[in-house]
Amino acid sequence: MNEILAFQAIIFICGTGAFIASLRFLRRVIELKHERSIAASTIELRERLDRIEGAVESTAIEIERISEANRFVAKLLGERSGAASHPARPERIITPH
């Protein structure tokens, strides 16, 4: 009887160890799968941020060009209006109703 009890105890201990090892293995597999999905999403995110950064830079350059053109036109209009004399305002005329 003692031999059967010892055999059962050994089987129970080995089975518990195998069960714990398989749970650890399964947990590690799930963690690795999750890490791979995070790494893939960070690569996609990095590419997307690079595209956004390029779009922002090109927009900034275009806005700078527009502002330079606006300054140039304002300068030309200022020079033009400075050269021509302003016409005198006509006097107010009161008309009967």
Side-chain angles (χ1 to χ4, degrees):
M1 189 82 170
N2 267 344
E3 292 176 5
I4 293 175
L5 187 60
F7 183 70
Q8 286 177 345
I10 290 173
I11 295 277
F12 180 74
I13 291 171
C14 290
T16 303
F19 181 70
I20 291 173
S22 65
L23 287 179
R24 284 182 156 180
F25 175 76
L26 183 62
R27 187 184 81 199
R28 184 64 182 150
V29 167
I30 292 172
E31 286 175 353
L32 286 175
K33 185 178 179 182
H34 182 65
E35 288 174 6
R36 287 183 191 142
S37 69
I38 289 174
S41 66
T42 56
I43 291 171
E44 293 171 359
L45 181 62
R46 185 72 205 151
E47 291 173 355
R48 186 174 181 189
L49 287 175
D50 288 340
R51 288 193 309 266
I52 291 172
E53 182 179 343
V56 168
E57 287 177 2
S58 63
T59 303
I61 290 171
E62 290 300 319
I63 289 174
E64 186 176 343
R65 287 180 183 167
I66 291 170
S67 65
E68 286 294 325
N70 191 16
R71 281 190 218 114
F72 179 73
V73 169
K75 179 182 171 187
L76 287 179
L77 290 175
E79 290 174 356
R80 177 195 272 179
S81 65
S85 63
H86 294 288
R89 288 186 1 181
E91 294 181 27
R92 292 187 74 183
I93 301 172
I94 300 174
T95 58
H97 293 278

